Amino acid sequence: MGRVVVVGSINDDLVVVAGRLPGPGETVAGTSVSHSSGGKGANQAVAAARAGAPTLMVGGVGRDEAGDRLRAGLRDAGVDTAGVRVVDGPTGVAIVTVAGGENTIVVVAGANARLDPHQVEAVAVAPGDVVVAQLETPTEATVAAFGRARSAGAVTVLNPAPAAPVPGALLDLVDHLVVNEHEVELVLGVAAADLVADRGDARQRLRAACRATVHLTLGADGQLVLGPDMAIAVPGRAVEVVDSTGAGDCFTGSLAAGLAAGVPLEAAVRRAGAAASLSVTRPGAAPSMPTAAEVDAVLA
Ligand code: RIB
């Protein structure tokens, strides 16, 4: 089995639960506030480790209480934190407001902005490993990590979240691209609805825009996987959504674990979709990631 190496963000999520999300200029009453482990990278690492993959986290935290707590949380989840550097300055923070299963998030990068190409180049990557990244850490570091992965014969997975354009130099190094409906439109210029309906030349335009296998996540509607010569539609599961924070991270980390274990693509996608459907039934980001046994029970 290969190892999952997650290059990405680690955040201290300050989670506020409210009856509804406030609009611009509006104040609403909250019902609870708590600290929770988060950051898209750390969430993906926890998802991969709980799915059973040997997982290394590469990132940064500040020299502060949150940094110590988040590193301990990763270790408790079975993630190797040898790649996490402690830097001067604050740990990344995300202010997460949750209402009726929906959320809004504001992120202050802190130590995540300090991840640099030298740090990722120091990480050993082997054939069969799966290197995963998102867009909450500097692009130069991700390009360096994926370049190293490509030359080592490892597989790369990019989740371009939070949604932002992806430079061609990075997109060319991606084997699996995990996108939701907003990200696919912003990154590849193709509407999710057109891809799902196989309308016009949407799937050809997607292929022209990137060579990666594209995993379009559609929430309750499941996933659509589009590769150079294949299309797989995986139906969603009807669940009661408590908190969707980190659902995309859960899918990405679980998919990476499946790929590292050599699970055939369709089965790996089904497992990742089932894992994500479980994660939204629980509060929090990293704490909501299910174990392999829990996913087995859902799929049985
Ligand atoms: O994807 C969810 C994550 O986005 C949260 O945990 C928060 O830290 C932000 O990075």
Side-chain angles (χ1 to χ4, degrees):
M1 175 188 250
R3 188 168 69 146
V4 173
V5 177
V6 180
V7 176
S9 56
I10 303 169
N11 289 335
D12 183 19
D13 286 3
L14 186 62
V15 183
V16 179
V17 178
R20 66 183 174 82
L21 299 175
E26 193 185 12
T27 302
V28 299
T31 53
S32 72
V33 60
S34 57
H35 286 269
S36 183
S37 302
K40 295 182 191 302
N43 298 340
Q44 292 172 10
V46 171
R50 292 215 177 128
T55 304
L56 174 74
M57 180 76 213
V58 181
V61 294
R63 209 176 299 283
D64 50 22
E65 180 278 329
D68 293 345
R69 173 165 41 84
L70 294 172
R71 275 191 305 153
L74 282 165
R75 283 194 295 268
D76 288 349
V79 176
D80 180 351
T81 57
V84 178
R85 195 164 59 152
V86 179
V87 300
D88 290 332
T91 294
V93 175
I95 307 296
V96 183
T97 306
V98 178
E102 304 268 310
N103 64 61
T104 60
I105 305 179
V106 177
V107 177
V108 181
N112 295 307
R114 305 272 299 277
L115 186 66
D116 63 39
H118 300 302
Q119 187 180 342
V120 300
E121 275 156 9
V123 176
V125 181
D129 286 351
V130 178
V131 178
V132 184
Q134 332 70 36
L135 299 184
E136 278 188 335
T137 43
T139 307
E140 309 77 66
T142 307
V143 171
F146 279 14
R148 192 169 163 70
R150 183 64 53 96
S151 46
V155 171
T156 59
V157 178
L158 180 70
N159 172 218
V166 175
L170 176 56
L171 204 52
D172 285 347
L173 293 168
V174 178
D175 297 314
H176 294 267
L177 187 73
V178 179
V179 281
N180 65 20
E181 53 199 299
H182 307 293
E183 291 149 8
V184 76
E185 185 137 19
L186 190 67
V187 175
L188 301 177
V190 188
D194 291 342
L195 289 167
V196 172
D198 197 7
R199 224 175 355 236
D201 60 354
R203 294 188 184 182
Q204 287 91 312
R205 283 192 287 122
L206 180 94
R207 289 273 54 91
C210 103
R211 274 173 289 185
T213 298
V214 176
H215 301 257
L216 176 59
T217 58
L218 299 161
D221 292 328
Q223 299 83 36
L224 177 64
V225 186
L226 295 168
D229 308 305
M230 56 86 169
I232 305 169
V234 177
R237 283 177 65 237
V239 293
E240 195 163 327
V241 178
V242 171
D243 179 2
S244 61
T245 313
D249 302 331
C250 183
F251 180 87
T252 304
S254 306
L255 175 70
L259 296 172
V263 175
L265 183 63
E266 182 165 352
V269 172
R270 281 185 196 281
R271 284 195 75 79
S277 75
L278 276 171
S279 78
V280 301
T281 64
R282 305 160 176 180
S288 73
M289 304 303 164
T291 62
E294 289 171 323
V295 175
D296 288 340
V298 162
L299 290 173

